[in-house]
Protein backbone atom coordinates (compact mmCIF):
# COMPACT_ATOMS: atom_id res chain seq x y z
CA UNK A 1 0.00 0.00 0.00
CA UNK A 2 1.25 3.49 -0.86
CA UNK A 3 1.79 6.24 1.68
CA UNK A 4 -1.33 7.95 0.35
CA UNK A 5 -3.32 4.75 0.77
CA UNK A 6 -2.14 4.29 4.36
CA UNK A 7 -3.10 7.85 5.18
CA UNK A 8 -6.57 7.31 3.69
CA UNK A 9 -7.13 4.15 5.75
CA UNK A 10 -6.29 5.88 9.00
CA UNK A 11 -8.24 8.98 8.03
CA UNK A 12 -11.35 6.83 7.70
CA UNK A 13 -10.49 5.15 11.01
CA UNK A 14 -10.08 8.41 12.96
CA UNK A 15 -13.33 8.31 14.96
CA UNK A 16 -13.00 4.69 16.09
CA UNK A 17 -9.24 5.14 16.63
CA UNK A 18 -10.03 7.88 19.14
CA UNK A 19 -12.74 5.74 20.77
CA UNK A 20 -10.39 2.84 21.52
CA UNK A 21 -7.42 5.05 22.41
CA UNK A 22 -8.02 5.14 26.20
CA UNK A 23 -7.93 1.33 26.34
CA UNK A 24 -5.25 0.69 23.75
CA UNK A 25 -3.23 3.37 21.99
CA UNK A 26 -2.88 5.81 24.89
CA UNK A 27 -1.58 3.15 27.26
CA UNK A 28 1.07 2.06 24.78
CA UNK A 29 1.93 5.67 23.97
CA UNK A 30 2.38 6.56 27.64
CA UNK A 31 4.71 3.58 28.09
CA UNK A 32 6.73 4.61 25.04
CA UNK A 33 7.15 8.21 26.20
CA UNK A 34 8.18 6.95 29.65
CA UNK A 35 10.84 4.73 28.06
CA UNK A 36 12.10 7.70 26.04
CA UNK A 37 12.73 9.48 29.38
CA UNK A 38 12.06 12.89 27.84
CA UNK A 39 13.47 15.75 29.87
CA UNK A 40 12.28 19.30 30.27
CA UNK A 41 13.34 21.48 27.35
CA UNK A 42 14.02 18.66 24.89
CA UNK A 43 12.95 18.59 21.24
CA UNK A 44 10.99 15.51 20.17
CA UNK A 45 9.88 14.15 16.80
CA UNK A 46 6.91 11.77 17.02
CA UNK A 47 6.58 9.83 13.75
CA UNK A 48 3.27 8.23 12.69
CA UNK A 49 1.83 10.07 15.68
CA UNK A 50 -1.84 9.22 15.09
CA UNK A 51 -4.09 11.00 17.57
CA UNK A 52 -1.22 11.89 19.89
CA UNK A 53 -1.04 8.79 22.09
CA UNK A 54 2.72 9.25 22.55
CA UNK A 55 3.07 12.88 21.41
CA UNK A 56 0.87 14.28 24.18
CA UNK A 57 2.76 12.61 27.05
CA UNK A 58 6.00 13.63 25.32
CA UNK A 59 4.81 17.25 25.31
CA UNK A 60 3.94 17.03 29.00
CA UNK A 61 7.44 15.75 29.78
CA UNK A 62 9.22 18.29 27.55
CA UNK A 63 7.45 21.15 29.31
CA UNK A 64 6.88 24.71 28.11
CA UNK A 65 10.51 25.16 27.06
CA UNK A 66 10.54 21.94 25.03
CA UNK A 67 8.86 21.15 21.74
CA UNK A 68 7.21 18.17 20.01
CA UNK A 69 6.69 17.80 16.25
CA UNK A 70 3.96 15.18 15.76
CA UNK A 71 3.85 13.97 12.15
CA UNK A 72 1.29 11.76 10.40
CA UNK A 73 -0.39 11.37 7.02
CA UNK A 74 -3.94 11.08 8.41
CA UNK A 75 -5.55 14.51 8.80
CA UNK A 76 -8.46 13.08 10.80
CA UNK A 77 -6.17 11.61 13.45
CA UNK A 78 -4.14 14.83 13.63
CA UNK A 79 -7.34 16.77 14.34
CA UNK A 80 -8.03 14.50 17.32
CA UNK A 81 -4.46 15.06 18.51
CA UNK A 82 -4.79 18.84 18.31
CA UNK A 83 -8.06 18.71 20.23
CA UNK A 84 -6.52 16.55 22.96
CA UNK A 85 -3.46 18.79 23.30
CA UNK A 86 -5.64 21.90 23.47
CA UNK A 87 -7.82 20.31 26.14
CA UNK A 88 -4.70 19.78 28.26
CA UNK A 89 -3.41 23.28 27.60
CA UNK A 90 -0.30 22.01 25.81
CA UNK A 91 1.13 24.67 23.50
CA UNK A 92 4.47 23.02 22.87
CA UNK A 93 3.27 20.39 20.39
CA UNK A 94 2.35 20.88 16.75
CA UNK A 95 0.52 18.23 14.73
CA UNK A 96 1.64 18.29 11.09
CA UNK A 97 0.28 16.38 8.10
CA UNK A 98 3.50 15.27 6.44
CA UNK A 99 5.41 12.27 5.15
CA UNK A 100 7.89 11.14 7.80
CA UNK A 101 10.21 9.75 5.12
CA UNK A 102 10.92 13.27 3.85
CA UNK A 103 10.77 15.23 7.12
CA UNK A 104 13.82 17.50 7.31
CA UNK A 105 13.77 19.46 10.57
CA UNK A 106 16.60 18.62 12.98
CA UNK A 107 18.31 18.00 15.29
CA UNK A 108 16.08 16.29 17.87
CA UNK A 109 16.83 14.96 21.33
CA UNK A 110 14.28 12.16 20.85
CA UNK A 111 12.67 10.53 17.82
CA UNK A 112 9.89 8.11 18.70
CA UNK A 113 7.51 5.96 16.67
CA UNK A 114 4.72 3.80 18.09
CA UNK A 115 3.48 0.97 15.87
CA UNK A 116 4.37 2.86 12.74
CA UNK A 117 7.77 1.81 11.41
CA UNK A 118 6.32 -1.24 9.63
CA UNK A 119 4.06 1.07 7.57
CA UNK A 120 7.03 2.99 6.18
CA UNK A 121 7.85 2.13 2.53
CA UNK A 122 11.37 0.91 3.37
CA UNK A 123 11.48 0.26 7.10
CA UNK A 124 15.26 -0.13 7.30
CA UNK A 125 16.22 2.91 5.22
CA UNK A 126 13.49 5.11 6.70
CA UNK A 127 14.43 4.45 10.32
CA UNK A 128 18.15 4.81 9.60
CA UNK A 129 17.30 8.22 8.14
CA UNK A 130 15.20 9.13 11.19
CA UNK A 131 18.10 8.20 13.47
CA UNK A 132 20.14 10.71 11.47
CA UNK A 133 17.78 13.49 12.62
CA UNK A 134 19.00 13.00 16.19
CA UNK A 135 21.72 15.07 17.76
CA UNK A 136 24.68 12.98 18.96
CA UNK A 137 23.54 11.38 22.21
CA UNK A 138 19.88 11.65 21.20
CA UNK A 139 17.52 8.68 21.63
CA UNK A 140 15.49 6.75 19.08
CA UNK A 141 12.53 4.82 20.54
CA UNK A 142 10.52 2.34 18.45
CA UNK A 143 7.48 0.40 19.63
CA UNK A 144 6.30 -2.68 17.76
CA UNK A 145 4.01 -5.64 18.43
CA UNK A 146 5.46 -8.52 20.40
CA UNK A 147 5.39 -11.95 18.79
CA UNK A 148 1.92 -13.41 19.20
CA UNK A 149 0.18 -10.09 19.83
CA UNK A 150 -3.02 -9.62 17.81
CA UNK A 151 -2.50 -13.05 16.22
CA UNK A 152 -5.75 -14.71 17.32
CA UNK A 153 -7.69 -11.51 16.76
CA UNK A 154 -6.21 -10.96 13.31
CA UNK A 155 -6.60 -14.57 12.22
CA UNK A 156 -10.31 -14.59 12.99
CA UNK A 157 -10.84 -11.23 11.30
CA UNK A 158 -9.11 -12.45 8.14
CA UNK A 159 -11.28 -15.57 8.23
CA UNK A 160 -14.40 -13.42 8.46
CA UNK A 161 -13.28 -11.23 5.54
CA UNK A 162 -12.44 -14.26 3.41
CA UNK A 163 -15.84 -15.81 4.22
CA UNK A 164 -17.60 -12.74 2.83
CA UNK A 165 -15.26 -12.07 -0.10
CA UNK A 166 -15.17 -15.80 -0.95
CA UNK A 167 -11.49 -15.42 -1.76
CA UNK A 168 -8.14 -15.56 -0.05
CA UNK A 169 -6.95 -12.29 1.44
CA UNK A 170 -3.27 -11.46 1.01
CA UNK A 171 -1.52 -10.50 4.26
CA UNK A 172 -0.52 -6.82 4.40
CA UNK A 173 3.10 -5.94 3.74
CA UNK A 174 3.17 -4.16 7.11
CA UNK A 175 2.58 -7.49 8.84
CA UNK A 176 5.57 -9.04 7.11
CA UNK A 177 7.76 -6.10 8.14
CA UNK A 178 6.48 -6.21 11.72
CA UNK A 179 7.31 -9.92 12.00
CA UNK A 180 10.99 -9.12 11.46
CA UNK A 181 11.18 -7.20 14.76
CA UNK A 182 8.62 -8.96 16.97
CA UNK A 183 11.13 -10.55 19.35
CA UNK A 184 13.47 -8.95 21.89
CA UNK A 185 16.62 -10.22 20.18
CA UNK A 186 15.38 -9.31 16.70
CA UNK A 187 14.40 -5.77 17.68
CA UNK A 188 17.68 -5.28 19.55
CA UNK A 189 19.73 -6.40 16.54
CA UNK A 190 17.65 -4.33 14.12
CA UNK A 191 18.11 -1.12 16.13
CA UNK A 192 21.83 -1.78 16.47
CA UNK A 193 21.99 -2.19 12.68
CA UNK A 194 20.52 1.32 12.38
CA UNK A 195 23.74 2.57 13.98
CA UNK A 196 22.42 2.99 17.53
CA UNK A 197 24.39 2.30 20.70
CA UNK A 198 23.28 1.15 24.14
CA UNK A 199 20.16 -0.54 22.78
CA UNK A 200 17.56 -1.80 25.27
CA UNK A 201 14.26 -3.59 24.66
CA UNK A 202 11.40 -3.55 27.16
CA UNK A 203 8.27 -5.71 27.03
CA UNK A 204 5.02 -3.87 27.76
CA UNK A 205 2.35 -6.47 28.55
CA UNK A 206 -1.20 -5.40 27.74
CA UNK A 207 -4.27 -7.65 27.61
CA UNK A 208 -7.68 -6.07 27.17
CA UNK A 209 -11.00 -7.84 27.90
CA UNK A 210 -12.79 -8.18 24.59
CA UNK A 211 -16.39 -8.43 23.48
CA UNK A 212 -17.81 -8.27 19.95
CA UNK A 213 -18.56 -4.54 20.12
CA UNK A 214 -15.04 -3.58 21.23
CA UNK A 215 -13.50 -6.01 18.75
CA UNK A 216 -15.30 -4.27 15.90
CA UNK A 217 -14.23 -0.83 17.13
CA UNK A 218 -10.62 -2.06 17.16
CA UNK A 219 -11.03 -3.25 13.55
CA UNK A 220 -12.47 0.08 12.43
CA UNK A 221 -9.93 2.08 14.46
CA UNK A 222 -6.76 0.37 13.22
CA UNK A 223 -4.98 -0.80 10.08
CA UNK A 224 -7.28 -3.84 9.97
CA UNK A 225 -9.85 -1.47 8.46
CA UNK A 226 -7.94 -1.50 5.19
CA UNK A 227 -9.05 -5.10 4.59
CA UNK A 228 -12.65 -3.85 4.24
CA UNK A 229 -11.74 -1.61 1.31
CA UNK A 230 -14.07 -1.98 -1.64
CA UNK A 231 -16.85 -3.71 0.27
CA UNK A 232 -20.33 -2.23 0.22
CA UNK A 233 -22.06 -1.59 3.55
CA UNK A 234 -24.14 -4.82 3.51
CA UNK A 235 -20.95 -6.84 2.94
CA UNK A 236 -19.16 -4.99 5.74
CA UNK A 237 -22.05 -5.86 8.04
CA UNK A 238 -21.72 -9.52 7.05
CA UNK A 239 -18.03 -9.37 7.94
CA UNK A 240 -18.92 -7.87 11.33
CA UNK A 241 -21.46 -10.64 12.00
CA UNK A 242 -19.08 -13.39 10.89
CA UNK A 243 -16.27 -11.95 13.04
CA UNK A 244 -18.53 -11.78 16.10
CA UNK A 245 -19.61 -15.38 15.54
CA UNK A 246 -16.00 -16.58 15.22
CA UNK A 247 -14.94 -14.76 18.37
CA UNK A 248 -17.77 -16.45 20.25
CA UNK A 249 -17.18 -19.92 18.78
CA UNK A 250 -13.40 -19.82 19.36
CA UNK A 251 -13.87 -18.31 22.83
CA UNK A 252 -11.58 -15.31 22.19
CA UNK A 253 -12.31 -13.03 25.15
CA UNK A 254 -9.25 -10.79 25.29
CA UNK A 255 -7.03 -8.79 22.98
CA UNK A 256 -3.32 -9.42 23.41
CA UNK A 257 -1.76 -6.03 22.65
CA UNK A 258 1.65 -6.76 24.17
CA UNK A 259 4.33 -4.51 22.70
CA UNK A 260 8.10 -4.27 22.60
CA UNK A 261 9.70 -0.87 23.18
CA UNK A 262 13.20 -0.60 21.80
CA UNK A 263 15.49 2.34 22.52
CA UNK A 264 18.98 3.29 21.48
CA UNK A 265 21.31 6.29 21.34
CA UNK A 266 22.98 7.98 18.39
CA UNK A 267 26.69 7.71 19.13
CA UNK A 268 28.90 10.74 19.51
CA UNK A 269 31.24 11.17 16.54
CA UNK A 270 34.70 9.77 17.07
Amino acid sequence: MTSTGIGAVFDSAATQYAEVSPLLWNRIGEATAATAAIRAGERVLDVCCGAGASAVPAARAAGPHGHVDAVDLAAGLLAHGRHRAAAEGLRNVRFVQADATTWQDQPYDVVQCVHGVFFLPDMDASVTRLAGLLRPGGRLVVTTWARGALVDFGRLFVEAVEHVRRARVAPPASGQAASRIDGEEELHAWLAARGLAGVTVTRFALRIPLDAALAWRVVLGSGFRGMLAGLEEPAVERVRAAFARLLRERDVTELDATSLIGAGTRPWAG
Side-chain angles (χ1 to χ4, degrees):
M1 186 180 294
T2 65
S3 295
T4 301
I6 293 167
V9 167
F10 281 96
D11 251 340
S12 65
T15 298
Q16 291 82 11
Y17 186 104
E19 288 176 353
V20 301
S21 285
L23 287 174
L24 180 60
W25 306 120
N26 290 356
R27 294 163 75 177
I28 299 171
E30 294 275 1
T32 300
T35 299
I38 298 159
R39 296 182 286 270
E42 289 194 315
R43 297 187 74 242
V44 180
L45 173 63
D46 192 300
V47 175
C48 306
C49 68
S54 51
V56 167
R60 287 194 218 111
H65 299 295
H67 179 76
V68 178
D69 285 323
V71 177
D72 202 289
L73 290 168
L77 292 179
L78 293 166
H80 282 288
R82 293 187 192 103
H83 178 77
R84 184 180 171 196
E88 294 197 24
L90 296 170
R91 299 182 179 180
N92 62 336
V93 54
R94 63 168 178 160
F95 288 86
V96 184
Q97 186 176 18
D99 187 339
T101 64
T102 59
W103 187 259
Q104 295 289 343
D105 200 4
Q106 60 178 303
Y108 290 98
D109 299 291
V110 175
V111 174
Q112 59 185 22
C113 184
V114 179
H115 294 311
V117 294
F118 33 78
F119 290 113
L120 298 174
D122 182 333
M123 184 172 74
D124 294 359
S126 295
V127 175
T128 298
R129 180 183 175 281
L130 289 172
L133 299 181
L134 291 165
R135 64 164 177 79
R139 292 97 67 202
L140 177 74
V141 184
V142 169
T143 300
T144 189
W145 299 115
R147 187 171 299 135
L150 303 184
V151 167
D152 291 340
F153 182 95
R155 184 183 297 120
L156 295 190
F157 179 62
V158 168
E159 188 174 334
V161 173
E162 290 180 339
H163 173 75
V164 172
R165 289 189 182 274
R166 299 185 182 279
R168 295 283 292 176
V169 175
S174 60
Q176 298 173 29
S179 68
R180 293 177 48 212
I181 52 174
D182 63 0
E184 282 91 338
E185 292 183 3
E186 289 82 356
L187 181 55
H188 188 287
W190 183 77
L191 289 171
R194 311 279 72 77
L196 300 174
V199 174
T200 62
V201 177
T202 304
R203 176 175 288 262
F204 177 67
L206 179 59
R207 291 181 176 270
I208 302 169
L210 194 67
D211 60 18
L214 177 58
W216 192 242
R217 287 200 299 274
V218 170
V219 164
L220 295 182
S222 69
F224 285 114
R225 188 186 187 111
M227 299 178 70
L228 300 173
L231 292 179
E232 299 292 335
E233 187 59 34
V236 171
E237 179 59 24
R238 291 198 299 275
V239 173
R240 186 200 64 76
F243 186 39
R245 173 179 54 79
L246 289 169
L247 289 168
R248 183 174 62 255
E249 290 176 353
R250 310 289 171 81
D251 196 29
V252 175
T253 59
E254 68 176 9
L255 177 68
D256 180 1
T258 299
S259 299
L260 301 178
I261 307 173
T265 302
R266 181 180 181 181
W268 292 86

